[in-house]
Amino acid sequence: PVSHVHAAARGRGSHLPSVQRIPRTPVCMTALSLVGRLTQASNATFLAREESDGSLWVYKPVAGEAPLWDFPQGTLSRREVATYQLSERWGFGVVLETRWVEGPLGPGSAQTWIEGQPTDKVEVLAPDDVDESWLPVVMGEDEAGEPVVLVHRDDARLRQICLFDLLINNSD
């Protein structure tokens, strides 16, 4: 845990910043109401609205987490909140605001919802369309069984996200 890292670092004279602990009791948003369910997610994932200001959030209740073989059960929401806190603390700023909340289906995480914008940084292409301006990530098949390649541009922002993922041991 973080406390062990800090204790070991203090013993070596290092100056690590303190990390805000995730509260055991969820922060209560004024009124978080469900708007819909994101059905493609592997866990129970909902679009929710904060009634006081109308903001939209991706809400993941602990009760809806699917067990994973490589993580303790019921920890996804807390790991998502911790990831946001580390991104902010380390100056990466690559994770949307994520809170530990008491939602309509119990405690869990709530992450700011943003409307996506088209980008020229990531694409799914036919193998013959991949040129030197793209970096291949993974090959697959489309709905018709045709081969496709997930590619991305060599972009500083994507490199920053990749570095952050490595540092936090992201398993996605």
Side-chain angles (χ1 to χ4, degrees), residues 35-95:
V35 175
R37 183 166 184 181
L38 305 173
T39 59
Q40 297 293 314
S42 58
N43 297 286
T45 306
F46 300 89
L47 180 61
R49 180 181 322 280
E50 168 59 39
E51 296 302 327
S52 66
D53 63 9
S55 60
L56 294 174
W57 297 82
V58 176
Y59 166 58
K60 296 181 182 179
V62 172
E65 292 180 12
L68 298 172
W69 68 270
D70 54 347
F71 290 102
Q73 190 168 350
T75 63
L76 172 65
S77 294
R78 288 183 185 276
R79 286 185 285 115
E80 289 191 350
V81 173
T83 299
Y84 164 70
Q85 290 177 349
L86 288 172
S87 173
E88 291 301 299
R89 176 68 62 173
W90 292 344
F92 281 87
V94 295
V95 178

